[in-house]
Amino acid sequence: LPHDLDDALVGHHHLALAVFENERRVYAYGDAAYPAGLLAQAGTQLAAARLWTWREDRSEHRGLALRLAAADGRSPLVLAVAVDTAHHRQFLDNFKLALGLVFGLAAAVAALLGWAVARVGLAPLRQTARLAGEITAERLDTRLSSDRVPPELADLALSFNAMLDRLRDSIDRLSSFAADLAHEMRTPV
């Protein structure tokens, strides 16, 4: 039986199996050190078997034990099975690290792209603001080009140009009034 079990378990490097008779190890495959509580609490029903997790050195095991009734009056045997899960833990730790790095890099790239898109998208607005800043009382003939601004700002450019037209008209009327007033005041003098 030990030879058949060894042949059946070949290639299962993370698996450990042991058979105990009266706390004495009769057969062992793998290098798991089973806790005494696991062996002492071994039940006779597989469905009710409690899953144990324990650490030893650099490995982490998960396993269970089952009490088997022995034939021909011998004492019952305890079958213990364990799987070394350290490589799973290492894989998950590496995966979390890689995922964190990817998310961090993706957030940095998204922030950079967002900044670039906003910068390019707002360039016409900055140009419009610069042109509006250059308009003075002496330069009221300057107009904002509605074809050089995004469609969303075309109405704003048209409204701004209309305001400049009204302002120009008001200044012309005020200048004309001032000229007429000056002429009228000079005439009697």
Side-chain angles (χ1 to χ4, degrees), residues 11-76:
H12 298 281
H13 307 291
H14 302 291
L15 182 67
L17 180 119
V19 178
F20 296 90
E21 181 180 17
N22 293 331
E23 298 180 13
R24 182 180 61 87
R25 190 179 299 218
V26 178
Y27 171 79
Y29 177 85
D31 58 348
Y34 298 94
L38 170 72
L39 301 175
Q41 294 180 6
T44 58
Q45 297 293 322
L46 182 59
R50 179 176 158 228
L51 189 62
W52 284 64
T53 302
W54 69 94
R55 289 180 163 262
E56 56 182 78
D57 297 330
R58 292 175 28 205
S59 60
E60 182 178 316
H61 289 89
R62 183 173 284 176
L64 55 89
L66 185 65
R67 189 170 305 280
L68 305 171
D72 45 322
R74 296 181 61 189
S75 59

Side-chain angles (χ1 to χ4, degrees), residues 34-122:
Y34 298 94
L38 170 72
L39 301 175
Q41 294 180 6
T44 58
Q45 297 293 322
L46 182 59
R50 179 176 158 228
L51 189 62
W52 284 64
T53 302
W54 69 94
R55 289 180 163 262
E56 56 182 78
D57 297 330
R58 292 175 28 205
S59 60
E60 182 178 316
H61 289 89
R62 183 173 284 176
L64 55 89
L66 185 65
R67 189 170 305 280
L68 305 171
D72 45 322
R74 296 181 61 189
S75 59
L77 300 173
V78 174
L79 172 67
V81 179
V83 175
D84 184 0
T85 59
H87 64 285
H88 295 293
R89 174 73 52 212
Q90 183 66 35
F91 172 78
L92 287 175
D93 290 344
N94 291 340
F95 183 72
K96 287 177 189 176
L97 178 64
L99 198 59
L101 291 174
V102 166
F103 278 148
L105 182 63
V109 167
L112 184 63
L113 285 175
W115 175 82
V117 166
R119 181 117 177 113
V120 168
L122 293 176

